Amino acid sequence: MPVLSLADVYRARRRIEGRVTRTPLLASASLSRIACTEVYLKLESMQPTGSFKLRGATNALAGLAERGIMKVVTASTGNHGRAVAYAARSLGMEATVCMSVLVPKNKVDAVNALGARVVTEGRSQDEAQVQALRLAREEGLAFVPPFDDLNVIAGQATIGLEIMEALPDTASIVVPLSGGGLFSGVAFAAKRIRADVAMIGVTMERGAAMHASLAAGRPVLVNEVETLADSLGGGIGLDNKHTFALTQDLADSVVLLDEVSIARGIVHAYREERLVVEGAAAVGIAALLDGRIDRADLMHGPVVLVISGANIDIGLHRRLIQEA
């Protein structure tokens, strides 16, 4: 299996510079009081596409463009597709995005608005990916994986670089966990800079493929169901090449949350942090609010929560705030 290197991460940073935002790392007074330690928010929700996914997509597409490959296809639960569409437009490339019927309409509309061709197929991320791979074969398109790709992982890893540069004494980093591209990238960079950083993955109870795979010791299939953390849905692929092994090696702990907790995280982000975030981005906040982060990790020094995205349906967001 090809090995990711820190040089790959620095190369990714050079590639994406000027095309993505170096996002703020802001102290949270409310969460610091609750956790009894310094808590910081890494606001990937402030990327132009509203999600961290822009980093990996831009690095992957820029690498393809360097080789003269200008037509791509991907499968996505929404944010990766939006990122691929945005990066393709900025690089003068053509993009096709395959998504399942479970992807929220606001995310489908956002991809359409960026000029990508959208293909809706199946009731899961896995079924959408089958369609994407078929189109890649039939139309000669380059397939850009949503997470299980070294260039995508290296792009997400630039978040880890920025965290450790801005806050060298970071003791713990809490990261939303899905297919593992974000988690393994951030963990790889952070632990190469400071080996004792605790890496904590957080995901939902409903259809958590990476958590189930870690428990089984191998990639496994799970049923994809609706959840407030829709960006964390989908499988990791039975033929997973990179993210399963990296996550297995780098994760110090994984936390599962129910839907009530995720909703509480979304509401707290809005009321206390003045942030509109999607369910996947709220899981770190929710884990702290629920006391699910080990006290030993909290007592070692500053904690950073990666706030992964802002692309929540505004009607859903309004309802959660009103019902809280």
Side-chain angles (χ1 to χ4, degrees):
M1 182 177 72
V3 178
L4 189 68
S5 72
L6 203 54
D8 295 323
V9 182
Y10 282 108
R11 185 180 304 112
R13 178 151 74 178
R14 291 192 296 272
R15 267 186 183 151
I16 69 178
E17 187 174 9
R19 298 186 185 275
V20 307
T21 299
R22 185 182 179 101
T23 55
L25 183 67
L26 301 181
S28 167
S30 66
L31 293 172
S32 295
R33 286 194 301 270
I34 291 167
C36 299
T37 191
E38 296 175 78
V39 177
Y40 293 82
L41 307 178
K42 179 62 171 168
L43 298 181
E44 285 300 295
S45 53
M46 295 184 68
Q47 289 293 349
T49 59
S51 158
F52 76 94
K53 288 283 192 176
L54 186 59
R55 294 176 185 261
T58 301
N59 188 47
L61 265 64
L64 291 171
E66 289 167 5
R67 294 158 49 197
I69 299 171
M70 302 300 288
K71 296 182 179 181
V72 300
V73 63
T74 193
S76 173
T77 55
N79 286 337
H80 175 67
R82 188 172 182 173
V84 167
Y86 184 99
R89 188 171 71 172
S90 72
L91 291 163
M93 303 170 76
E94 295 180 18
T96 298
V97 179
C98 298
M99 293 184 282
S100 83
V101 297
L102 292 181
V103 176
K105 183 177 182 298
N106 68 300
K107 294 188 175 183
V108 177
D109 291 345
V111 175
N112 269 315
L114 288 167
R117 175 175 60 151
V118 175
V119 177
T120 303
E121 181 73 23
R123 289 194 55 81
S124 71
Q125 165 81 354
D126 291 337
E127 291 179 9
Q129 183 154 315
V130 169
Q131 172 74 348
L133 291 171
R134 183 182 69 78
L135 291 175
R137 290 192 303 271
E138 293 178 357
E139 300 183 12
L141 311 176
F143 178 66
V144 181
F147 52 85
D148 194 28
D149 174 87
L150 291 178
N151 281 324
V152 171
I153 297 168
Q156 322 306 21
T158 60
I159 299 169
L161 289 184
E162 291 178 14
I163 290 171
M164 299 310 295
E165 289 169 354
L167 193 66
D169 60 342
T170 296
S172 304
I173 305 178
V174 182
V175 185
L177 178 62
S178 179
L182 173 63
F183 183 90
S184 62
V186 174
F188 177 85
K191 282 184 177 284
R192 286 302 182 279
I193 294 170
R194 182 175 169 183
D196 62 348
V197 172
M199 292 301 311
I200 303 161
V202 188
T203 191
M204 70 291 181
E205 290 180 344
R206 305 177 68 178
M210 182 61 81
H211 178 266
S213 298
L214 292 172
R218 58 181 174 80
V220 297
L221 295 175
V222 299
N223 290 326
E224 187 175 342
V225 296
E226 290 189 39
T227 170
L228 286 173
D230 56 89
S231 294
L232 302 184
I236 69 167
L238 294 180
D239 59 347
N240 188 286
K241 298 177 178 63
H242 309 294
T243 60
F244 173 74
L246 284 167
T247 302
Q248 188 179 49
D249 181 53
L250 297 170
D252 293 290
S253 61
V254 175
V255 174
L256 293 179
L257 297 174
D258 62 25
E259 297 298 296
V260 173
S261 295
I262 297 168
R264 188 180 302 122
I266 293 170
V267 172
H268 180 95
Y270 181 73
R271 289 184 173 170
E272 301 295 333
E273 312 297 338
R274 299 296 184 263
L275 296 172
V276 174
V277 303
E278 59 190 274
V283 294
I285 293 173
L288 270 184
L289 294 177
D290 282 3
R292 301 294 305 280
I293 306 299
D294 194 295
R295 293 301 304 175
D297 290 326
L298 296 178
M299 298 311 294
H300 284 149
V303 178
V304 174
L305 311 183
V306 176
I307 307 301
S308 55
N311 298 323
I312 188 171
D313 177 80
I314 199 65
L316 171 61
H317 188 270
R318 185 182 302 113
R319 177 171 62 80
L320 292 173
I321 300 302
Q322 291 173 344
E323 292 178 354

